[in-house]
Amino acid sequence: MGETECLLPVGPQPGVQYPLKVEYCGNCSMPFEYCENYPDIEGCKEWLSKNLPDKFESLYVGGDTGGGAAGGETEADGEEKKRQKRGGKGMMKAKKKEAEVEKKIILSIAPRGKRKAVTVVQGLKTFGVDLKVASKFFSSKFACSSSVTGDDEIVIQGDVKDDLFDILPEKWPEIDEDLIDDIGEKKRS
């Protein structure tokens, strides 16, 4: 068994201030040097330009020294990103731009058993409301269970349709009471 040479320096390095201070990106939660490897680099650049403009200039405007998108990658190369094969966060799905969907909230009651019912709320996503947050809010407000089902649907246990007419515009000001539509009783599919 022969001796192996260690090419990496061991111990503290001269001219380096310890402990090292590492700054992290607020968008991807990685050090700034690794933002270029994150799928949403544009979001990282936007966050950095808003919150730390001097760091943004040194990394992207003045110092195009890194690889990736900051290192002179053409726009066509940026469009064709490699797919991640195993582990890690993977590629973020691109958000589909909604083609001006009609902004309307539909409330309905669906029977559940003989005497029980659930309230179905559809259309909150068209107003940009996070469905998980809304479901949690409804659960705590009505002291019942609520869940996100499907793409744009929240199911709340119990008949709380009348209360929703007041609560939705109060919690989310962009929702007007005229845009809430009650279609009565409807079987869930």
Side-chain angles (χ1 to χ4, degrees):
M1 305 226 179
E3 289 184 28
T4 58
E5 289 184 34
C6 183
L7 300 176
L8 297 174
V10 179
Q13 302 299 311
V16 178
Q17 183 80 22
Y18 291 98
L20 295 176
K21 184 182 177 202
V22 180
E23 294 177 321
Y24 294 94
C25 175
N27 185 45
C28 64
S29 71
M30 293 190 282
F32 295 128
E33 298 82 38
Y34 295 109
C35 284
E36 63 190 33
N37 300 323
Y38 191 66
D40 185 24
I41 188 171
E42 296 305 317
C44 292
K45 284 181 180 180
E46 185 179 313
W47 183 88
L48 197 58
S49 66
K50 278 185 193 170
N51 298 312
L52 299 169
D54 53 334
K55 188 75 171 175
F56 174 76
E57 286 185 23
S58 67
L59 282 176
Y60 295 107
V61 177
D64 279 341
T65 56
E73 198 176 275
T74 64
E75 208 172 296
D77 293 341
E79 301 266 337
E80 298 182 58
K81 292 185 178 178
K82 292 182 181 176
R83 286 194 132 344
Q84 184 155 350
K85 292 188 176 46
R86 298 184 58 192
K89 285 187 174 181
M91 297 296 283
M92 290 176 51
K93 292 180 182 175
K95 293 181 180 174
K96 294 178 184 175
K97 302 225 170 162
E98 308 223 355
E100 288 302 314
V101 179
E102 183 183 359
K103 292 188 171 189
K104 187 167 225 143
I105 294 178
I106 300 171
L107 302 179
S108 62
I109 300 295
R112 191 178 70 92
K114 290 186 179 179
R115 296 183 54 210
K116 300 193 184 269
V118 292
T119 304
V120 181
V121 182
Q122 296 173 319
L124 282 175
K125 208 176 212 181
T126 58
F127 289 93
V129 175
D130 186 12
L131 296 181
K132 276 187 172 180
V133 172
S135 174
K136 184 95 172 158
F137 172 73
F138 295 146
S139 294
S140 63
K141 186 73 176 174
F142 301 123
C144 65
S145 173
S146 70
S147 60
V148 178
T149 59
D151 188 35
D152 189 14
E153 181 179 86
I154 296 178
V155 176
I156 308 167
Q157 284 188 356
D159 186 356
V160 294
K161 185 173 57 175
D162 297 333
D163 299 333
L164 285 172
F165 280 101
D166 301 327
I167 289 172
L168 286 173
E170 182 181 309
K171 174 74 174 165
W172 293 282
E174 64 268 15
I175 299 174
D176 188 22
E177 201 169 323
D178 300 332
L179 298 174
I180 302 173
D181 191 21
D182 177 13
I183 61 170
E185 197 167 311
K186 176 186 172 190
K187 281 223 170 199
R188 289 181 57 217
S189 52

